[in-house]
Short mmCIF file of all heavy atoms in Angstrom, two decimals:
data_model
loop_
_atom_site.label_atom_id
_atom_site.label_comp_id
_atom_site.label_asym_id
_atom_site.label_seq_id
_atom_site.Cartn_x
_atom_site.Cartn_y
_atom_site.Cartn_z
N GLY A 329 -7.64 -17.13 6.60
CA GLY A 329 -7.33 -17.09 5.17
C GLY A 329 -8.54 -16.76 4.33
O GLY A 329 -8.46 -15.95 3.38
N LEU A 330 -9.69 -17.35 4.65
CA LEU A 330 -10.91 -17.07 3.88
C LEU A 330 -11.39 -15.65 4.10
O LEU A 330 -11.87 -14.99 3.17
CB LEU A 330 -12.00 -18.07 4.26
CG LEU A 330 -11.71 -19.54 3.94
CD1 LEU A 330 -12.83 -20.43 4.43
CD2 LEU A 330 -11.50 -19.73 2.44
N TYR A 331 -11.28 -15.18 5.34
CA TYR A 331 -11.69 -13.79 5.64
C TYR A 331 -10.86 -12.80 4.83
O TYR A 331 -11.38 -11.86 4.23
CB TYR A 331 -11.55 -13.52 7.13
CG TYR A 331 -11.56 -12.05 7.47
CD1 TYR A 331 -12.75 -11.33 7.53
CD2 TYR A 331 -10.36 -11.36 7.70
CE1 TYR A 331 -12.75 -9.98 7.81
CE2 TYR A 331 -10.35 -10.02 7.99
CZ TYR A 331 -11.54 -9.32 8.04
OH TYR A 331 -11.54 -7.98 8.31
N GLY A 332 -9.53 -13.00 4.82
CA GLY A 332 -8.67 -12.09 4.07
C GLY A 332 -9.01 -12.07 2.59
O GLY A 332 -9.10 -11.00 1.98
N ALA A 333 -9.21 -13.26 2.00
CA ALA A 333 -9.54 -13.32 0.57
C ALA A 333 -10.87 -12.64 0.28
O ALA A 333 -11.01 -11.90 -0.71
CB ALA A 333 -9.58 -14.78 0.11
N LEU A 334 -11.86 -12.85 1.15
CA LEU A 334 -13.19 -12.25 0.94
C LEU A 334 -13.13 -10.73 1.02
O LEU A 334 -13.64 -10.03 0.13
CB LEU A 334 -14.16 -12.80 1.99
CG LEU A 334 -15.54 -12.15 2.03
CD1 LEU A 334 -16.36 -12.58 0.83
CD2 LEU A 334 -16.28 -12.49 3.31
N VAL A 335 -12.51 -10.21 2.06
CA VAL A 335 -12.48 -8.76 2.25
C VAL A 335 -11.66 -8.08 1.17
O VAL A 335 -12.05 -7.03 0.64
CB VAL A 335 -11.94 -8.43 3.66
CG1 VAL A 335 -11.73 -6.93 3.81
CG2 VAL A 335 -12.90 -8.92 4.72
N ILE A 336 -10.53 -8.65 0.80
CA ILE A 336 -9.69 -8.05 -0.24
C ILE A 336 -10.46 -8.00 -1.56
O ILE A 336 -10.49 -6.95 -2.24
CB ILE A 336 -8.38 -8.84 -0.40
CG1 ILE A 336 -7.48 -8.64 0.82
CG2 ILE A 336 -7.63 -8.39 -1.66
CD1 ILE A 336 -6.26 -9.51 0.84
N LYS A 337 -11.09 -9.09 -1.95
CA LYS A 337 -11.80 -9.14 -3.22
C LYS A 337 -12.92 -8.11 -3.28
O LYS A 337 -13.01 -7.32 -4.23
CB LYS A 337 -12.36 -10.55 -3.44
CG LYS A 337 -13.17 -10.69 -4.74
CD LYS A 337 -13.72 -12.09 -4.88
CE LYS A 337 -14.59 -12.22 -6.12
NZ LYS A 337 -13.83 -12.02 -7.36
N TRP A 338 -13.77 -8.09 -2.25
CA TRP A 338 -14.94 -7.21 -2.31
C TRP A 338 -14.58 -5.77 -1.98
O TRP A 338 -15.26 -4.85 -2.47
CB TRP A 338 -16.03 -7.75 -1.39
CG TRP A 338 -16.65 -8.97 -1.98
CD1 TRP A 338 -16.45 -10.27 -1.63
CD2 TRP A 338 -17.55 -9.00 -3.10
NE1 TRP A 338 -17.16 -11.11 -2.44
CE2 TRP A 338 -17.86 -10.36 -3.35
CE3 TRP A 338 -18.14 -8.02 -3.90
CZ2 TRP A 338 -18.72 -10.74 -4.37
CZ3 TRP A 338 -18.99 -8.41 -4.91
CH2 TRP A 338 -19.27 -9.75 -5.14
N ASN A 339 -13.55 -5.55 -1.19
CA ASN A 339 -13.13 -4.17 -0.98
C ASN A 339 -12.59 -3.56 -2.26
O ASN A 339 -12.84 -2.38 -2.56
CB ASN A 339 -12.08 -4.10 0.12
CG ASN A 339 -11.58 -2.69 0.36
OD1 ASN A 339 -10.49 -2.32 -0.07
ND2 ASN A 339 -12.38 -1.88 1.03
N LEU A 340 -11.86 -4.33 -3.06
CA LEU A 340 -11.38 -3.80 -4.33
C LEU A 340 -12.53 -3.56 -5.30
O LEU A 340 -12.48 -2.64 -6.12
CB LEU A 340 -10.35 -4.76 -4.94
CG LEU A 340 -9.01 -4.84 -4.19
CD1 LEU A 340 -8.09 -5.84 -4.87
CD2 LEU A 340 -8.34 -3.49 -4.14
N ARG A 341 -13.57 -4.37 -5.23
CA ARG A 341 -14.76 -4.10 -6.04
C ARG A 341 -15.39 -2.77 -5.63
O ARG A 341 -15.79 -1.97 -6.48
CB ARG A 341 -15.78 -5.23 -5.87
CG ARG A 341 -15.35 -6.57 -6.41
CD ARG A 341 -15.34 -6.57 -7.91
NE ARG A 341 -15.04 -7.91 -8.42
CZ ARG A 341 -14.76 -8.16 -9.68
NH1 ARG A 341 -14.71 -7.19 -10.57
NH2 ARG A 341 -14.50 -9.39 -10.07
N VAL A 342 -15.47 -2.55 -4.32
CA VAL A 342 -16.02 -1.28 -3.83
C VAL A 342 -15.12 -0.13 -4.24
O VAL A 342 -15.61 0.96 -4.62
CB VAL A 342 -16.19 -1.33 -2.30
CG1 VAL A 342 -16.57 0.03 -1.75
CG2 VAL A 342 -17.24 -2.36 -1.92
N GLN A 343 -13.80 -0.33 -4.22
CA GLN A 343 -12.89 0.73 -4.64
C GLN A 343 -13.08 1.07 -6.12
O GLN A 343 -13.01 2.25 -6.50
CB GLN A 343 -11.43 0.30 -4.40
CG GLN A 343 -11.04 0.15 -2.95
CD GLN A 343 -11.06 1.47 -2.21
OE1 GLN A 343 -11.22 2.53 -2.79
NE2 GLN A 343 -10.91 1.42 -0.91
N ALA A 344 -13.30 0.05 -6.94
CA ALA A 344 -13.54 0.30 -8.35
C ALA A 344 -14.82 1.11 -8.54
O ALA A 344 -14.87 2.05 -9.34
CB ALA A 344 -13.63 -1.03 -9.11
N PHE A 345 -15.86 0.76 -7.80
CA PHE A 345 -17.12 1.51 -7.86
C PHE A 345 -16.91 2.94 -7.36
O PHE A 345 -17.41 3.91 -7.96
CB PHE A 345 -18.18 0.80 -7.03
CG PHE A 345 -19.50 1.50 -6.99
CD1 PHE A 345 -20.42 1.31 -8.02
CD2 PHE A 345 -19.83 2.35 -5.95
CE1 PHE A 345 -21.64 1.96 -8.00
CE2 PHE A 345 -21.05 3.00 -5.92
CZ PHE A 345 -21.96 2.81 -6.94
N ARG A 346 -16.14 3.08 -6.29
CA ARG A 346 -15.89 4.42 -5.72
C ARG A 346 -15.12 5.28 -6.71
O ARG A 346 -15.43 6.47 -6.88
CB ARG A 346 -15.12 4.25 -4.41
CG ARG A 346 -14.76 5.53 -3.72
CD ARG A 346 -14.08 5.24 -2.39
NE ARG A 346 -15.03 4.84 -1.38
CZ ARG A 346 -14.94 3.74 -0.66
NH1 ARG A 346 -13.94 2.89 -0.87
NH2 ARG A 346 -15.84 3.45 0.27
N LYS A 347 -14.11 4.71 -7.35
CA LYS A 347 -13.32 5.48 -8.30
C LYS A 347 -14.13 5.85 -9.53
O LYS A 347 -13.96 6.94 -10.11
CB LYS A 347 -12.08 4.67 -8.71
CG LYS A 347 -11.21 5.35 -9.74
CD LYS A 347 -9.99 4.52 -10.10
CE LYS A 347 -8.95 4.55 -9.02
NZ LYS A 347 -7.67 3.95 -9.45
N LYS A 348 -15.04 4.99 -9.93
CA LYS A 348 -15.79 5.20 -11.17
C LYS A 348 -16.94 6.18 -10.99
O LYS A 348 -17.21 6.99 -11.88
CB LYS A 348 -16.31 3.84 -11.65
CG LYS A 348 -16.78 3.82 -13.09
CD LYS A 348 -17.09 2.37 -13.50
CE LYS A 348 -17.46 2.28 -14.97
NZ LYS A 348 -17.74 0.88 -15.36
N TYR A 349 -17.63 6.11 -9.85
CA TYR A 349 -18.86 6.88 -9.69
C TYR A 349 -18.82 7.91 -8.56
O TYR A 349 -19.52 8.92 -8.63
CB TYR A 349 -20.04 5.94 -9.40
CG TYR A 349 -20.36 5.00 -10.54
CD1 TYR A 349 -20.00 3.66 -10.47
CD2 TYR A 349 -21.03 5.45 -11.67
CE1 TYR A 349 -20.30 2.80 -11.50
CE2 TYR A 349 -21.32 4.59 -12.71
CZ TYR A 349 -20.96 3.26 -12.62
OH TYR A 349 -21.25 2.41 -13.66
#
Side-chain angles (χ1 to χ4, degrees):
L330 296 177
Y331 163 79
L334 173 72
V335 172
I336 290 173
K337 178 181 177 65
W338 287 103
N339 179 257
L340 290 179
R341 294 289 185 191
V342 172
Q343 293 294 352
F345 179 84
R346 179 176 283 127
K347 178 179 285 190
K348 196 172 185 180
Y349 296 104

